[in-house]
Structures are given as structure tokens and as C-alpha cells.
Amino acid sequence: QVQLVESGGGLVQAGGSLRLSCDASGRTISSYSMGWFRQAPGKEREFVAAINRNGGSTNYADSVKGRFIISRDNAKNTVYLQMNSLKPEDTAVYYCARVVGTRPYDSWGQGTQVTVSS
């Protein structure tokens, strides 16, 4: 079983940047593709970005393409989400998970809140 803990969220003005981290424990994540998801108030959780096992391939939702960058450091058992040019519509709780394609298969952690003010 792997435990995933998200961090790095906060309050930022539109146009600003944040970097989220997803720290894994319990087992190595180097054998898994990993993804980020988000859930805004009153909306369903949605896919944001995914990265394959060695970091050589990434996939993004159209809404964040060109603004967000997913990366990983398998030596640190950590996945990152660099978020640039943030918009108010990026406001959500962000979660990470192991994925198959864009589908998660972990139990959700507590997530990290990102709030973008206009």
C-alpha cells in the first residue's frame, strides 16, 4: 500500500505560480505512472496531468496545457506539479494518485487547497 501526501497549495493572485508536491511512502512509486487531479467546489473531480514511470511522457488536460508542468523525482519518491499563469478557475483541491492512463486507482489523500484570487 502506498500513502500519498500532497502539499504546496495556498492563496495566489491570478497570473501567479505555485508548485505542488506529492510525497509517497510505503512503497516506491517508480514503477507507476502518476497523475494529478482536482476538485472545485460543487464540481466532480477531474484529471489535470499525468506522467509515466520514467518521466519521459506526460499528458495534460486541455484546460492546463501550456501552463502546468508535471514532473517526478523517483529518487525522492515525489511527484510535482508546477502551476504557472494561474487563473481563478484553477481554484480547487488538488490530489495525486497512481494512474492507468488518466484513471486513478488509489484512495484519495487529503489533497492540498489552491485558491487563485482575481
Side-chain angles (χ1 to χ4, degrees):
Q1 189 75 358
V2 62
Q3 290 78 44
L4 302 170
V5 178
E6 303 90 348
S7 63
L11 173 64
V12 63
Q13 288 187 331
S17 298
L18 284 173
R19 188 175 84 152
L20 307 184
S21 297
C22 171
D23 294 304
S25 61
R27 66 188 304 170
T28 179
I29 60 170
S30 60
S31 299
Y32 304 98
S33 294
M34 299 293 296
W36 284 94
F37 299 79
R38 67 186 182 186
Q39 187 168 21
K43 296 187 177 181
E44 293 189 353
R45 199 168 344 227
E46 64 177 2
F47 168 77
V48 174
I51 188 167
N52 72 339
R53 289 178 294 177
N54 65 9
S57 178
T58 56
N59 184 24
Y60 297 93
D62 287 343
S63 58
V64 306
K65 202 169 293 184
R67 300 188 298 122
F68 290 11
I69 301 171
I70 187 171
S71 62
R72 66 191 298 160
D73 186 337
N74 286 339
K76 294 183 177 180
N77 227 26
T78 300
V79 181
Y80 303 98
L81 186 67
Q82 177 67 42
M83 305 187 297
N84 302 318
S85 302
L86 282 161
K87 304 175 180 180
E89 51 264 43
D90 294 318
T91 294
V93 179
Y94 284 71
Y95 304 87
C96 64
R98 291 177 291 177
V99 298
V100 175
T102 61
R103 293 191 303 274
Y105 63 95
D106 276 316
S107 298
W108 298 111
Q110 85 288 350
T112 186
Q113 174 72 49
V114 171
T115 303
V116 184
S117 62
S118 57

Coordinates of all heavy atoms in Angstrom, one line a residue, residues 37-83:
F37 N -5.0 15.4 -10.0 CA -6.4 15.6 -10.2 C -6.9 16.8 -9.4 O -6.1 17.2 -8.5 CB -7.3 14.4 -9.8 CG -6.9 13.2 -10.6 CD1 -5.8 12.4 -10.3 CD2 -7.7 12.8 -11.7 CE1 -5.4 11.3 -11.1 CE2 -7.4 11.7 -12.5 CZ -6.2 10.9 -12.2
R38 N -8.0 17.4 -9.7 CA -8.5 18.5 -8.8 C -10.0 18.4 -8.8 O -10.7 17.9 -9.6 CB -8.0 19.8 -9.4 CG -8.6 20.2 -10.8 CD -8.0 21.5 -11.3 NE -8.6 21.9 -12.6 CZ -8.1 22.9 -13.3 NH1 -7.1 23.6 -12.9 NH2 -8.7 23.2 -14.4
Q39 N -10.5 19.0 -7.7 CA -11.9 19.1 -7.5 C -12.3 20.5 -7.0 O -11.9 20.9 -5.9 CB -12.4 18.0 -6.5 CG -13.9 18.0 -6.4 CD -14.4 16.7 -5.6 OE1 -13.7 16.1 -4.9 NE2 -15.7 16.4 -5.9
A40 N -13.1 21.2 -7.8 CA -13.5 22.5 -7.4 C -14.9 22.4 -6.6 O -15.6 21.4 -6.8 CB -13.7 23.4 -8.6
P41 N -15.2 23.4 -5.8 CA -16.5 23.3 -5.1 C -17.7 23.1 -6.0 O -17.8 23.8 -7.0 CB -16.6 24.7 -4.4 CG -15.1 25.1 -4.3 CD -14.5 24.6 -5.5
G42 N -18.5 22.1 -5.7 CA -19.7 21.8 -6.5 C -19.4 21.1 -7.8 O -20.4 20.9 -8.5
K43 N -18.2 20.7 -8.0 CA -17.9 20.0 -9.3 C -17.3 18.6 -9.0 O -16.8 18.4 -7.9 CB -16.9 20.9 -10.1 CG -17.5 22.2 -10.6 CD -16.6 22.9 -11.5 CE -17.2 24.2 -12.1 NZ -16.3 24.9 -13.0
E44 N -17.3 17.8 -10.0 CA -16.7 16.5 -9.9 C -15.1 16.6 -10.0 O -14.6 17.5 -10.6 CB -17.2 15.6 -11.0 CG -18.7 15.2 -10.9 CD -19.1 14.1 -11.8 OE1 -18.3 13.8 -12.7 OE2 -20.2 13.7 -11.7
R45 N -14.5 15.6 -9.5 CA -13.0 15.6 -9.6 C -12.6 15.4 -11.0 O -13.3 14.6 -11.7 CB -12.5 14.5 -8.7 CG -11.0 14.6 -8.4 CD -10.5 13.7 -7.3 NE -11.5 13.1 -6.5 CZ -11.4 13.0 -5.2 NH1 -10.4 13.6 -4.5 NH2 -12.4 12.4 -4.5
E46 N -11.6 16.1 -11.5 CA -11.2 16.0 -12.9 C -9.7 15.8 -13.0 O -8.9 16.1 -12.2 CB -11.6 17.2 -13.6 CG -10.9 18.5 -13.2 CD -11.3 19.7 -14.0 OE1 -12.1 19.6 -15.0 OE2 -10.7 20.8 -13.7
F47 N -9.4 15.1 -14.1 CA -8.0 14.9 -14.4 C -7.3 16.2 -14.8 O -7.8 17.0 -15.5 CB -7.9 13.9 -15.6 CG -6.5 13.8 -16.3 CD1 -5.5 13.1 -15.6 CD2 -6.2 14.5 -17.4 CE1 -4.3 13.0 -16.2 CE2 -5.0 14.4 -18.0 CZ -4.0 13.6 -17.4
V48 N -6.0 16.3 -14.3 CA -5.2 17.5 -14.6 C -4.0 17.1 -15.5 O -3.7 17.7 -16.5 CB -4.7 18.2 -13.3 CG1 -3.8 19.4 -13.6 CG2 -5.9 18.7 -12.5
A49 N -3.2 16.2 -15.0 CA -1.9 15.8 -15.7 C -1.5 14.5 -15.2 O -1.8 14.0 -14.1 CB -0.9 16.9 -15.4
A50 N -0.7 13.8 -16.1 CA -0.1 12.5 -15.8 C 1.3 12.4 -16.3 O 1.6 13.1 -17.3 CB -1.0 11.4 -16.3
I51 N 2.1 11.5 -15.7 CA 3.4 11.3 -16.1 C 3.7 9.8 -16.0 O 3.3 9.2 -15.1 CB 4.4 12.2 -15.3 CG1 5.8 12.1 -15.8 CG2 4.3 11.7 -13.8 CD1 6.7 13.2 -15.2
N52 N 4.5 9.3 -17.0 CA 4.8 7.9 -17.0 C 5.9 7.6 -16.0 O 6.4 8.5 -15.3 CB 5.1 7.4 -18.4 CG 6.5 7.8 -18.9 OD1 7.0 8.8 -18.4 ND2 7.0 7.1 -19.9
R53 N 6.3 6.3 -15.9 CA 7.2 5.9 -14.9 C 8.5 6.6 -14.9 O 9.0 6.9 -13.8 CB 7.4 4.3 -15.0 CG 6.2 3.5 -14.6 CD 6.4 2.1 -14.8 NE 6.6 1.7 -16.3 CZ 6.9 0.5 -16.7 NH1 7.0 -0.5 -15.8 NH2 7.0 0.3 -18.0
N54 N 9.1 6.8 -16.0 CA 10.4 7.4 -16.1 C 10.4 8.9 -16.4 O 11.5 9.5 -16.5 CB 11.3 6.7 -17.0 CG 10.9 6.8 -18.5 OD1 10.0 7.6 -18.8 ND2 11.5 6.1 -19.4
G55 N 9.2 9.5 -16.5 CA 9.1 10.9 -16.7 C 9.3 11.3 -18.2 O 9.2 12.5 -18.5
G56 N 9.3 10.3 -19.0 CA 9.6 10.6 -20.4 C 8.3 11.0 -21.2 O 8.4 11.5 -22.4
S57 N 7.2 10.8 -20.7 CA 5.9 11.1 -21.3 C 5.0 11.7 -20.4 O 4.8 11.3 -19.2 CB 5.3 9.8 -21.9 OG 4.1 10.0 -22.5
T58 N 4.3 12.8 -20.8 CA 3.3 13.5 -20.0 C 2.1 13.7 -20.8 O 2.0 13.6 -22.0 CB 3.9 14.8 -19.5 OG1 4.3 15.6 -20.7 CG2 5.1 14.7 -18.6
N59 N 1.0 14.0 -20.0 CA -0.3 14.2 -20.6 C -1.0 15.2 -19.8 O -1.0 15.2 -18.6 CB -1.1 12.8 -20.6 CG -2.4 12.9 -21.3 OD1 -2.7 13.8 -22.2 ND2 -3.3 12.0 -21.0
Y60 N -1.7 16.2 -20.5 CA -2.4 17.2 -19.7 C -3.8 17.4 -20.2 O -4.1 17.2 -21.4 CB -1.6 18.6 -20.0 CG -0.2 18.6 -19.5 CD1 0.8 18.2 -20.3 CD2 0.1 18.9 -18.1 CE1 2.2 18.2 -19.8 CE2 1.4 18.9 -17.7 CZ 2.4 18.6 -18.5 OH 3.7 18.6 -18.0
A61 N -4.6 17.9 -19.3 CA -6.0 18.3 -19.6 C -5.8 19.6 -20.5 O -4.9 20.4 -20.3 CB -6.8 18.6 -18.4
D62 N -6.7 19.8 -21.4 CA -6.7 20.9 -22.3 C -6.7 22.2 -21.5 O -6.0 23.2 -21.9 CB -7.8 20.9 -23.3 CG -7.7 19.9 -24.4 OD1 -6.5 19.4 -24.5 OD2 -8.7 19.5 -25.0
S63 N -7.4 22.2 -20.4 CA -7.5 23.5 -19.6 C -6.2 24.0 -18.9 O -6.1 25.1 -18.6 CB -8.6 23.3 -18.5 OG -8.2 22.2 -17.7
V64 N -5.2 23.1 -18.8 CA -4.0 23.5 -18.2 C -2.8 23.3 -19.1 O -1.7 23.7 -18.7 CB -3.7 22.6 -16.9 CG1 -4.9 22.7 -16.0 CG2 -3.4 21.2 -17.2
K65 N -3.0 22.8 -20.3 CA -1.9 22.6 -21.2 C -1.2 24.0 -21.5 O -1.8 25.0 -21.8 CB -2.4 22.0 -22.5 CG -1.4 21.3 -23.4 CD -2.1 20.5 -24.5 CE -3.0 19.4 -23.9 NZ -3.6 18.6 -25.0
G66 N 0.1 23.9 -21.4 CA 0.9 25.2 -21.7 C 1.2 26.0 -20.4 O 2.0 26.9 -20.4
R67 N 0.4 25.7 -19.4 CA 0.6 26.4 -18.1 C 1.1 25.6 -17.0 O 1.9 26.1 -16.1 CB -0.8 27.0 -17.7 CG -1.4 28.0 -18.7 CD -2.6 28.7 -18.1 NE -3.7 27.7 -17.8 CZ -4.2 27.6 -16.6 NH1 -3.8 28.3 -15.6 NH2 -5.2 26.7 -16.4
F68 N 0.8 24.3 -16.9 CA 1.2 23.4 -15.9 C 2.2 22.4 -16.4 O 2.2 22.0 -17.6 CB 0.0 22.6 -15.3 CG -1.0 23.4 -14.6 CD1 -1.0 24.8 -14.5 CD2 -2.0 22.7 -13.8 CE1 -2.0 25.5 -13.8 CE2 -3.0 23.4 -13.1 CZ -2.9 24.8 -13.1
I69 N 3.1 22.0 -15.5 CA 4.1 21.0 -15.8 C 4.2 20.0 -14.7 O 4.4 20.3 -13.6 CB 5.5 21.7 -16.0 CG1 5.5 22.8 -17.1 CG2 6.6 20.6 -16.3 CD1 6.8 23.6 -17.2
I70 N 4.0 18.7 -15.1 CA 4.2 17.6 -14.2 C 5.6 17.1 -14.3 O 6.1 16.9 -15.4 CB 3.1 16.6 -14.4 CG1 3.1 15.5 -13.3 CG2 3.2 15.9 -15.8 CD1 1.9 14.5 -13.3
S71 N 6.1 16.7 -13.2 CA 7.5 16.1 -13.2 C 7.6 15.1 -12.0 O 6.7 15.1 -11.2 CB 8.6 17.2 -13.1 OG 8.5 17.9 -11.9
R72 N 8.6 14.4 -12.0 CA 8.8 13.4 -10.9 C 10.3 13.3 -10.6 O 11.1 13.4 -11.5 CB 8.2 12.1 -11.2 CG 8.8 11.4 -12.3 CD 7.9 10.2 -12.8 NE 7.8 9.2 -11.7 CZ 6.8 8.3 -11.6 NH1 5.9 8.3 -12.6 NH2 6.7 7.5 -10.6
D73 N 10.6 12.9 -9.3 CA 11.9 12.6 -8.9 C 11.8 11.2 -8.2 O 11.4 11.1 -7.0 CB 12.4 13.6 -7.9 CG 13.9 13.4 -7.5 OD1 14.3 12.2 -7.6 OD2 14.6 14.4 -7.1
N74 N 12.1 10.2 -8.9 CA 11.9 8.8 -8.4 C 12.8 8.6 -7.2 O 12.5 7.8 -6.3 CB 12.0 7.8 -9.5 CG 10.9 7.7 -10.4 OD1 9.8 8.2 -10.1 ND2 11.1 7.2 -11.6
A75 N 14.0 9.2 -7.2 CA 14.9 9.0 -6.1 C 14.3 9.6 -4.8 O 14.6 9.1 -3.7 CB 16.2 9.7 -6.4
K76 N 13.5 10.6 -4.9 CA 12.8 11.2 -3.7 C 11.4 10.7 -3.5 O 10.7 11.1 -2.6 CB 12.8 12.7 -3.9 CG 14.2 13.4 -3.8 CD 14.0 14.9 -3.9 CE 15.4 15.5 -3.8 NZ 15.3 17.0 -3.9
N77 N 11.0 9.8 -4.4 CA 9.6 9.2 -4.4 C 8.6 10.3 -4.3 O 7.6 10.3 -3.6 CB 9.5 8.3 -3.1 CG 8.8 7.0 -3.4 OD1 8.9 6.5 -4.5 ND2 8.2 6.4 -2.4
T78 N 8.8 11.3 -5.2 CA 7.9 12.5 -5.2 C 7.5 12.9 -6.6 O 8.3 12.7 -7.6 CB 8.7 13.7 -4.5 OG1 9.0 13.3 -3.2 CG2 7.8 15.0 -4.5
V79 N 6.3 13.4 -6.7 CA 5.8 13.9 -8.0 C 5.5 15.4 -7.8 O 5.0 15.8 -6.7 CB 4.6 13.2 -8.4 CG1 4.0 13.7 -9.8 CG2 4.9 11.7 -8.6
Y80 N 5.7 16.2 -8.8 CA 5.5 17.6 -8.7 C 4.5 18.1 -9.7 O 4.3 17.5 -10.8 CB 6.8 18.4 -8.9 CG 7.9 18.0 -7.9 CD1 8.9 17.1 -8.3 CD2 7.9 18.5 -6.6 CE1 9.9 16.7 -7.5 CE2 9.0 18.1 -5.8 CZ 9.9 17.2 -6.2 OH 10.9 16.9 -5.3
L81 N 3.8 19.3 -9.4 CA 3.0 19.9 -10.4 C 3.4 21.4 -10.3 O 3.0 22.1 -9.3 CB 1.5 19.7 -10.1 CG 0.6 20.3 -11.2 CD1 0.8 19.5 -12.5 CD2 -0.8 20.3 -10.8
Q82 N 4.1 21.9 -11.3 CA 4.4 23.3 -11.4 C 3.2 24.0 -12.1 O 2.9 23.7 -13.3 CB 5.7 23.6 -12.2 CG 6.0 25.0 -12.4 CD 6.4 25.7 -11.1 OE1 7.1 25.2 -10.3 NE2 5.9 26.9 -10.9
M83 N 2.6 25.0 -11.4 CA 1.4 25.7 -12.0 C 1.8 27.1 -12.2 O 2.1 27.8 -11.3 CB 0.3 25.5 -11.0 CG -0.1 24.1 -10.7 SD -1.6 23.9 -9.7 CE -1.1 24.8 -8.2

